[in-house]
Amino acid sequence: KRRVYLTKERTEKLEEFYQSHIAFSYPDQETKELLASECGITYLQVTKWLRN
């Protein structure tokens, strides 16, 4: 299985989402799937990044 790393661009996109939703930074499954697709990473990676 090929590992996909969080590049600077991917991290910036996730950070942008987080900052724009700071009041409620725990998105639903559909939003996480959309973020994963936009960033080119897995749903699990998005979930872990938001958790940390």
Side-chain angles (χ1 to χ4, degrees):
K1 198 171 177 183
R2 187 171 167 251
R3 186 172 182 155
V4 178
Y5 293 94
L6 294 178
T7 61
K8 180 180 177 186
E9 292 80 17
R10 289 174 175 150
T11 303
E12 286 174 350
K13 193 170 278 207
L14 290 168
E15 185 67 36
E16 181 182 314
F17 171 83
Y18 180 78
Q19 291 299 324
S20 65
H21 295 84
I22 198 80
F24 186 72
S25 57
Y26 299 101
D28 59 13
Q29 182 175 349
E30 185 178 323
T31 304
K32 288 179 189 176
E33 289 172 354
L34 180 63
L35 275 170
S37 176
E38 288 178 359
C39 293
I41 58 177
T42 66
Y43 172 84
L44 185 58
Q45 285 176 301
V46 171
T47 300
K48 285 181 179 180
W49 189 89
L50 290 169
R51 189 179 330 140
N52 292 329

